[in-house]
Amino acid sequence: MNANYPGCFVILCALVSSGCFPESKATLPAKAPSQDGYLFCMWNVENFFDNKDNHRKTEPDKEYDSWFGNNPKDFKLKLDHIVEVLLKMNNGTGPDILALAEVEEASEVPNLLVASLNAKLPADNHYTDIAFKNPHGGRCIATCVISKLPIQSNRVTLLGKRIRILEVPIKVNGKELIVLATHWTSKLTDKDGTGRAKYADQIHGAYIAMARNNPDIDFLVCGDFNSTPDEDCVKKHLKTTASVQETLVKKREIEGSSGNDRWLDFPLLNPFSDWKEKKLGSIYYHGKSELFDQIVVSPGLLDDKGWSCDPSSAKVFSEAPPADGKGHPVRFGSEKDHKHVRGYSDHLPVTIRLKVEGAN
């Protein structure tokens, strides 16, 4: 359990006394996968602030901090909406690994969400592990991971300073998966893409450092990239390719060549590269549907060793009412939007299926 943030002790005591606190992984085996394996989900949950007023100083964080901190019914509605969507996945049991963006930094949201989910799940399907660290970025929001599978808590780390890239190792049957939960700079403040390119370069640099030691590393990066799969920051800076075959061929070519420079183009597969052909979108803004939320995987996840994924299982989850009739996300909104129907988030979740060698 990773809980390095202020105010944690109070909520942990409350959760323990209520029986909602995640069980210790030291006494529990890893959750068995379904026939389809484990479900991984990434979701930007739109300004998911906790139920305490921390007196944030700058907008828009000040507005949401005060609103949810002083209006418990509205916070509970937001929490209930998130839980409702998640429990529509995976035959009503929720994703096995869940990465979230736009969670208030230094907050109790991850614990409150886990408690709410576990209250509706059988004991053998509980979320048990949380990875959460405060990036101290420009806005008071962070990424986090909650999981039914064992997180290597002592190795959870942030990559870089004031940047939302959370590295989370997960281990099942002795096989390790590295998850990077990220939230790249918004186009509203990064109009030329420099900030998003910096995120992509940092992520790919971290991947290269790991792949040099283990070219078959099982590495997954997910997040709200604030960019579509065909933009330069994703395609050229993150070094993504569009097909499994292309990814594996490129990996073999690089491994067969010499010189340290060859690693600079070590590939990652983006299963969402065909988003335009499939008419996929995770956000709807100014009358246009775009795919900002993505899951990208290393070649190591394309073999049958350790962890693996089914690229064809990558999808945008659009089964969250109230729908607008067109499959677009419906935002929860702000306190000022009291007249509009409150949805769930201005983003839709994205999911993919994972398997682990030897798990049954």
Side-chain angles (χ1 to χ4, degrees), residues 64-335:
Y64 292 98
D65 178 44
S66 174
W67 175 28
F68 287 142
N70 295 291
N71 294 274
K73 288 185 178 179
D74 288 339
F75 171 78
K76 187 175 186 305
L77 181 62
K78 174 75 173 182
L79 180 62
D80 288 347
H81 275 195
I82 300 300
V83 169
E84 180 183 349
V85 173
L86 294 173
L87 293 185
K88 289 180 180 293
M89 301 179 189
N90 215 16
N91 297 317
T93 65
D96 299 296
I97 307 171
L98 171 64
L100 299 174
E102 289 202 14
V103 172
E104 184 184 9
E105 66 179 20
S107 81
E108 295 157 356
V109 165
N111 281 315
L112 293 169
L113 178 58
V114 164
S116 294
L117 286 165
N118 286 351
K120 296 178 181 292
L121 291 169
D124 61 354
N125 234 313
H126 275 189
Y127 291 91
T128 56
D129 286 29
I130 297 172
F132 186 71
K133 284 185 178 290
N134 188 341
H136 300 286
R139 282 200 60 198
C140 299
I141 51 176
T143 57
C144 74
V145 173
I146 70 172
S147 176
K148 300 176 183 179
L149 306 175
I151 291 174
Q152 307 299 294
S153 300
N154 62 327
R155 292 173 49 219
V156 172
T157 188
L158 286 165
L159 299 186
K161 295 180 179 179
R162 298 175 61 83
I163 194 167
R164 294 183 294 269
I165 305 175
L166 182 69
E167 180 182 324
V168 183
I170 296 173
K171 186 174 283 189
V172 173
N173 287 354
K175 313 298 183 182
E176 187 170 81
L177 171 70
I178 300 295
V179 173
L180 263 59
T182 74
H183 185 187
W184 300 12
T185 313
S186 170
K187 285 187 174 181
L188 295 176
T189 56
D190 181 36
K191 298 187 184 301
D192 64 358
T194 302
R196 298 190 300 284
K198 178 182 177 182
Y199 266 85
D201 290 340
Q202 181 114 5
I203 291 165
H204 195 264
Y207 169 54
I208 289 174
M210 298 177 199
R212 277 195 174 115
N213 293 322
N214 176 17
D216 295 323
I217 187 169
D218 296 322
F219 179 95
L220 180 154
V221 55
C222 66
D224 174 3
F225 295 170
N226 271 300
S227 306
T228 58
D230 46 1
E231 291 186 53
D232 281 354
C233 54
V234 177
K235 201 166 184 179
K236 295 183 179 180
H237 289 265
L238 194 56
K239 314 288 187 187
T240 59
T241 56
S243 74
V244 171
Q245 186 64 21
E246 182 182 346
T247 306
L248 294 176
V249 166
K250 195 165 186 178
K251 175 178 179 282
R252 286 196 294 270
E253 289 175 351
I254 291 170
E255 287 181 307
S257 60
S258 60
N260 284 332
D261 287 349
R262 73 189 193 279
W263 293 99
L264 298 179
D265 290 322
F266 212 70
L268 292 165
L269 173 74
N270 190 340
F272 292 94
S273 292
D274 57 356
W275 71 286
K276 285 185 177 177
E277 292 85 346
K278 292 183 178 178
K279 297 181 179 178
L280 299 176
S282 61
I283 187 168
Y284 189 74
Y285 187 67
H286 285 179
K288 187 178 181 181
S289 184
E290 295 193 284
L291 188 71
F292 283 180
D293 306 273
Q294 296 157 59
I295 299 168
V296 172
V297 300
S298 69
L301 279 162
L302 304 176
D303 58 33
D304 57 2
K305 298 180 294 184
W307 289 75
S308 60
C309 77
D310 175 7
S312 67
S313 70
K315 63 177 287 188
V316 177
F317 187 83
S318 58
E319 301 166 31
D324 62 358
K326 299 179 181 179
H328 301 146
V330 179
R331 65 193 181 91
F332 190 82
S334 67
E335 185 176 14

